[in-house]
Amino acid sequence: MDRSGVEAVKARINISDIVRRYVDLKPVSGRWMGACPFHQETKPSMSVNDDEGFFYCFGCQASGDVIDFYGRINGLEFRESLEQLAAEAGIELSHVPHDPHAAERKARKQKLIDMHHESSEWFQRNLGMATGDHARKYLMNRGMTQEMIVKFGLGYSPDDWHGLDNFLKTKGRTSEEGVEAGLLSKNDKGNIYDRFRGRLIFPIHNLSGRVIAFGGRIITDGEPKYLNSSDTPIYKKGDHLYGLNLARSTMTRSKRAILTEGYMDVISLHQFGYTDSCGVLGTALTPDQVKALTGFCSRVDLVFDGDGAGRKAALKSSRMILLQGVACKVVLMPDGEDVDSLLQTKGAEGFEACMTAAPDGLDFCMTTLRDEFAPRDIVAWAKSFLSDLSDASLRAYYLPRLAGGLGLSEADFRRDAGAMPPPRTTQQQPQRRQPVRQQQQASMAVGKDDTDDRYFLRFPIQYPDYVSELANRGFERILRTDWAKTLWEKLVNTQPGHITSLLNEQEKGFYYRCREEMRINILSGRDLLDEWKHICNKITFGQDEMNKRQLTEAIRQAQQNGDTKRAMELLALKESRRRDDEQY
């Protein structure tokens, strides 16, 4: 991808204009602030900097430029985000052929998307014709309004083995392309025919609103009751959620998602005002779906049938959601009812009663474990849950709750789960304007780990005018980790204003954090001079330490080679330098 195209998009589009579509922003001290849509948050923890074109969340450390934000909130890859924003801004992108097949793959995917759009229009047209009378009556009997039929783009596939196949041919498509798109099927004998026949059709959209797959419900006798598109180059059912494209705008405001199982359940929820609802697609909930969902909300209300299968699915789904640090409730339907039937017979009031009675997700898990699992399985579940948490703060939050809810000794459980608190240590981090002697005494910790490198790199990131002089003085000598040295090279060799396009995710997050922190604690005058002197002293001290290590290594080599005279000379030099240091 031509980097000039990336820079052109960032120059043409204000990041706040894009973020404002999903987040309520308010001006604060020369920047915009709002509640971060990428983690459980109600207070304005996300800063949006129009001048430098980035966002940064002080809560979850999410950060990036306008392309990063747009891709993350819409579930798009970088290339897709860039292309959509470029089209919106009227910018023509030029492509560097890193992959000789990239253009071919793009054209292939676009063809499949176009075929789904054409098929969706054909299905919708069928629903409104005489051939769709039976399907329209079915929807009417289910209490579905015309508004919902249009909103979700429902259609009908006639009970015809070659109806869609023949229609696609009028659009210049081949039967083999229809098979690749998942719209047609091919049997062992090589015969090709319509995949969906005699079914009510539910289009499945990606977050951009494009049709990428279909679900079909039989409305006469026949099996299977529901038939879904198979995975294709544009669709993987474990990655998408039905209706999320329509629900996400409400989710970002309500901070809640209602997640259920059936197509009709989702549509009925929207019809009765629950427009933050979406559904899984003929498979168990996946971690990728959870991540996509929790990018828009801070709480997920799971709605399942109250039978054994529903409770089992609720336990598994609750676990996945809780692992993301997102709040969760489990709403179980009364016996013999599903969401659609409950809403049609008892209305929103009946559904609200179930919502009110719904237990917290963690409480539901613990109750289910106590009632249905053996003691060893309970402990194994709890240990597994804690081990799968990537955030130490979440382990600290969940551990005492699990121990108390499952009747376990917290101390024993903490030890057995390998979650003993670490020994208390005092973090050694260089402070500004320490006396030289204190700096030297504390400097043994400098450069030992990632924290120190981050401390030193803040200065050239926040005050880029000093980069050239720092490079001349040998700033790299005080850096110890590879990531820090790589980032420093980029700072040195890149023009100001263009570096972010070259940073990886870790580097980018750190860079934006430093730039944002500068707003809170910018140095000037004497403070800036003191910090500059402190950094320069560290560079000098780093060079001295390097010289000492080199001298020690030279002594070792001389002794190993049996060169006693050379070893004695170097030892004398080392002692002389030691006396000079003490005198200093």
Side-chain angles (χ1 to χ4, degrees), residues 228-490:
N228 300 306
S229 290
S230 56
D231 288 353
T232 69
I234 62 172
Y235 172 69
K236 182 179 178 183
K237 59 182 147 188
D239 292 346
H240 300 275
L241 291 164
Y242 180 67
L244 182 58
N245 63 304
L246 297 173
R248 63 174 182 171
S249 59
T250 305
M251 289 178 186
T252 56
R253 295 193 299 271
S254 69
K255 298 302 178 185
R256 177 192 71 175
I258 298 177
L259 183 64
T260 187
E261 294 181 294
Y263 298 111
M264 294 295 292
D265 291 342
V266 173
I267 298 174
S268 289
L269 283 165
H270 278 255
Q271 183 170 316
F272 280 84
Y274 297 96
T275 55
D276 49 3
S277 305
C278 59
V280 293
L281 291 161
T283 183
L285 186 66
T286 68
D288 287 336
Q289 289 172 327
V290 172
K291 289 178 182 178
L293 189 61
T294 55
F296 300 104
C297 62
S298 56
R299 190 185 99 204
V300 179
D301 291 347
L302 293 165
V303 183
F304 288 99
D305 294 341
D307 57 13
R311 298 182 70 86
K312 183 178 179 180
L315 178 64
K316 182 178 179 181
S317 299
S318 299
R319 182 184 187 277
M320 277 192 283
I321 292 168
L322 293 170
L323 285 174
Q324 294 296 319
V326 175
C328 173
K329 291 178 67 176
V330 177
V331 185
L332 296 177
M333 293 292 96
D335 290 342
E337 295 274 19
D338 57 25
V339 177
D340 177 52
S341 65
L342 181 66
L343 286 169
Q344 296 296 338
T345 56
K346 298 183 180 179
E349 183 178 344
F351 184 71
E352 278 296 325
C354 294
M355 296 279 279
T356 302
D360 169 82
L362 186 62
D363 290 340
F364 172 82
C365 290
M366 292 189 294
T367 299
T368 303
L369 290 167
R370 290 195 307 266
D371 293 346
E372 302 178 17
F373 283 64
R376 63 183 181 184
D377 295 327
I378 294 175
V379 174
W381 188 97
K383 286 182 179 180
S384 173
F385 180 84
L386 290 178
S387 67
D388 287 345
L389 288 166
S390 58
D391 189 333
S393 63
L394 288 176
R395 285 195 290 274
Y397 173 83
Y398 282 125
L399 191 145
R401 288 164 175 77
L402 282 171
L406 297 175
L408 305 173
S409 163
E410 182 176 338
D412 292 342
F413 180 47
R414 185 181 296 274
R415 182 188 64 250
D416 294 341
M420 293 299 290
R424 299 186 64 176
T425 59
T426 301
Q427 183 181 19
Q428 292 179 305
Q429 187 178 60
Q431 301 295 321
R432 293 189 297 107
R433 291 178 291 174
Q434 288 182 323
V436 173
R437 176 62 62 182
Q438 290 182 2
Q439 291 177 15
Q440 292 177 343
Q441 290 173 348
S443 65
M444 292 304 292
V446 173
K448 291 288 186 181
D449 55 33
D450 185 73
T451 303
D452 296 316
D453 280 352
R454 289 173 181 267
Y455 170 82
F456 289 120
L457 280 170
R458 278 190 178 90
F459 188 83
I461 290 174
Q462 294 177 342
Y463 306 95
D465 290 344
Y466 288 84
V467 168
S468 178
E469 182 59 26
L470 286 172
N472 292 336
R473 289 172 179 262
F475 179 80
E476 70 278 358
R477 296 171 190 153
I478 60 176
L479 302 177
R480 293 292 178 265
T481 57
D482 290 339
W483 79 264
K485 294 175 183 177
T486 300
L487 178 53
W488 170 244
E489 287 181 7
K490 293 178 181 179

